[in-house]
Amino acid sequence: MSDVGRERQVTEEEFRVDPGAPVFFLSYARTKNRVAAPPRDTNSKVFQLFVDLSDHVVELLGLPPGRPAGFMDRMIDGGQLWTEDLAFAAGHSQVFIPLISPQYLNSAWCAREWDAFARRRFTLRPGAAATPGETPIIPVNWSVVERHRVPPVVSQRQMFTPTRLPSDIAPQYHDEGIYGLLSLGKNGKDAYDAVVWRLAQRVAKAYHTHWVQAQVPADMQQLRATFEEVGHDLV
C-alpha cells in the first residue's frame, strides 16, 4: 500500500521547503454577488481572516521579508482557473486550512483543493512530538454544518478547537463559526480575535512538527471533485 498521506519519521536531510512557499493554504467556498448591485467583495470576511491570520503567523514564525505566510485565491474567476500560483501553493504549502461550511462541502473546486493537499505525503520532523490526531490539515468551523452532512474524509480530521480561553469563547466559535463571529460586530470581536490567535498558534505548531512533501498537480482534472474517503488520505 502506498504511504502517500501517511506519517513516518524522517532524517533532517530529507525534508526541504521551498523558500517561496506559503506556510498555509486557506481554502474557502467563494461567494458571488447574487443580486444586481454595485460590485463588492462578497468574500471580505474570508479576506479579513486571511490578513489577521497571516500577521500572527509572521509574528510566531519570524518569517523573513518576502516569505508569504499564507495563500488564498482572490481571482475574480476563482474556482474556475487552475493557475500557476494556485498550483504552486497547493503543492508546496505546509499547512492546509479548509473553512468548513455547507457551501464548502458542496463545492467541486474546494474538493479538488483538499485532494491536491491531502494526496501529498507528510512526515514528522526529526525530534518532533505531535499530539495524536493532529495533522497539517486543520479544518476550521466557518459556518455551522450539521454533523450528519459532513463526509467521512472531512469528519475523520480533527476539527480546530481553541483551548485555554475564557469559558464562553469556544462555545461561541462552535455555535456561530468564524463567519458568525465576524457578523456579530463588537459582540463577536473579542471571541474572533482570541480564536484566530489560537488558530495561528496551531498553524505554527503544525509547521514545526510536520513536513509535507512537495507535489504540484499538473492538471486539475487529476483531482477528485467530491469529498471521498480514499486510502492515501488515512493517517
Side-chain angles (χ1 to χ4, degrees), residues 19 58 61-68:
V58 168
L61 295 181
L63 299 180
R67 173 76 189 275

Side-chain angles (χ1 to χ4, degrees), residues 117-138:
F117 190 94
R119 66 173 59 211
R120 294 166 58 193
R121 184 177 65 187
F122 65 86
T123 67
L124 280 175
R125 291 179 178 271
T131 302
E134 289 186 349
T135 76
I137 297 179
I138 309 174

Side-chain angles (χ1 to χ4, degrees), residues 39 44-45 59 84 116 122 140 146 175 203 212-213 230 233:
S44 59
K45 289 182 174 63
E59 181 68 25
E84 289 185 8
F122 65 86
V140 168
E146 296 179 12
D175 291 344
V203 171
V212 187
Q213 185 178 45
V230 292
D233 202 37

Side-chain angles (χ1 to χ4, degrees), residues 32-194:
K32 297 181 179 180
N33 288 325
R34 294 185 173 88
V35 296
R40 64 188 179 93
D41 186 354
T42 56
N43 299 292
S44 59
K45 289 182 174 63
V46 176
F47 187 61
Q48 181 178 346
L49 169 62
F50 176 77
V51 171
D52 293 338
L53 183 60
S54 295
D55 288 346
H56 291 331
V57 169
V58 168
E59 181 68 25
L60 288 168
L61 295 181
L63 299 180
R67 173 76 189 275
F71 174 89
M72 67 173 285
D73 184 8
R74 296 199 75 208
M75 291 187 61
I76 294 176
D77 292 324
Q80 299 176 27
L81 301 175
W82 193 252
T83 64
E84 289 185 8
D85 287 347
L86 176 61
F88 178 84
H92 288 86
S93 58
Q94 292 295 293
V95 181
F96 184 72
I97 306 175
L99 302 185
I100 305 301
S101 69
Q103 284 192 90
Y104 191 90
L105 298 178
N106 289 327
S107 168
W109 189 266
C110 293
R112 291 187 178 101
E113 290 180 342
W114 177 294
D115 190 48
F117 190 94
R119 66 173 59 211
R120 294 166 58 193
R121 184 177 65 187
F122 65 86
T123 67
L124 280 175
R125 291 179 178 271
T131 302
E134 289 186 349
T135 76
I137 297 179
I138 309 174
V140 168
N141 179 20
W142 179 248
S143 59
V144 179
V145 180
E146 296 179 12
R147 183 178 297 273
H148 71 277
R149 296 185 181 278
V150 181
V153 72
V154 176
S155 62
Q156 74 182 8
R157 300 289 180 175
Q158 188 177 95
M159 182 74 73
F160 168 70
T161 299
T163 58
R164 295 176 289 117
L165 293 175
S167 60
D168 61 321
I169 290 182
Q172 274 188 280
Y173 161 73
H174 289 298
D175 291 344
E176 307 287 353
I178 290 182
Y179 179 90
L181 296 179
L182 285 170
S183 300
L184 290 172
K186 63 180 181 180
N187 292 326
K189 182 64 164 57
D190 289 345
Y192 166 79
D193 288 341

